Amino acid sequence: MSRTKRLLDLLQILRNHRFPVTGENLARELHISIRTLYRDIASLQEQGASIIGEPGLGYVLKPGFMLPPLMFSEEEIEALVLGSRWVAERADQHLGLAARQALQKIAAVLPADLRHLLDTTPLLAGPDPHSSDFDTALPLIRATIRSEHKLQLAYRDGQGKSSRRMVWPFALGYFEHVRILIAWCELRQEIRHFRTDRITSFEVYPLRYPKRRQALLKEWKMQEGITTDKF
């Protein structure tokens, strides 16, 4: 096992424990000596990992965001690049710009060899030929979801029938050629799916809806029989 892989594994083990883990247990799980473990702990701390503890008492990784340079494997780098490129090409302009900026921030803290891999990854994402003019409104839709406000929609269904709906938006699905707004519909008194390219106009209401967004999302997952974190 390479040292880089070992350090990544050590970080992951610490993330999996909420309470301090003794050095002996960590060394045993990694199949290394206790002396090597102490050196690895010191190296990660120097890289910015918030590991607290000392020999004889155990170690714990403090919660919170951190991005030490050794956090990503080669395949994780490729996944980040491909995902960012997909968002940049397939999402709206604002989200695409955010994806590019996030990737630049990651590149800034990577060591030279991994930064080279990020810059030269041959995984590409093509543009979406079915993008809609409504995509320019998606940043406002996302902001409304985050703030948990109601939306008044003018909507045209697949048969061309128009209606007006007051909805509680709580999720936005990005599929290959369509974007789906998932919301509780006050008219139908149930969770409904609305294709964004069929929304002819909308108005954000200053009134927050009575349920929390996460509660609605959980209800939708149960309704759809979703038992994983895929959505």
Side-chain angles (χ1 to χ4, degrees), residues 144-164:
T144 305
I145 292 173
R146 289 194 297 268
S147 64
E148 300 180 345
H149 281 71
K150 293 186 177 184
L151 275 179
Q152 175 81 46
L153 302 180
Y155 191 73
R156 184 179 62 252
D157 64 19
Q159 287 71 46
K161 183 180 178 181
S162 298
S163 62
R164 297 191 69 83

Side-chain angles (χ1 to χ4, degrees), residues 8 11 15 44 47-49 66-72 109-111:
L8 287 170
L11 275 177
R15 285 194 189 97
L44 288 173
Q47 295 289 344
M66 67 166 191
L67 193 63
L70 295 174
M71 184 175 181
F72 301 114
V109 298
L110 289 175

Side-chain angles (χ1 to χ4, degrees), residues 78-93:
E78 290 185 335
L80 285 169
V81 172
L82 181 60
S84 298
R85 288 176 177 175
W86 192 96
V87 172
E89 293 291 344
R90 297 298 186 107
D92 59 81
Q93 184 177 1

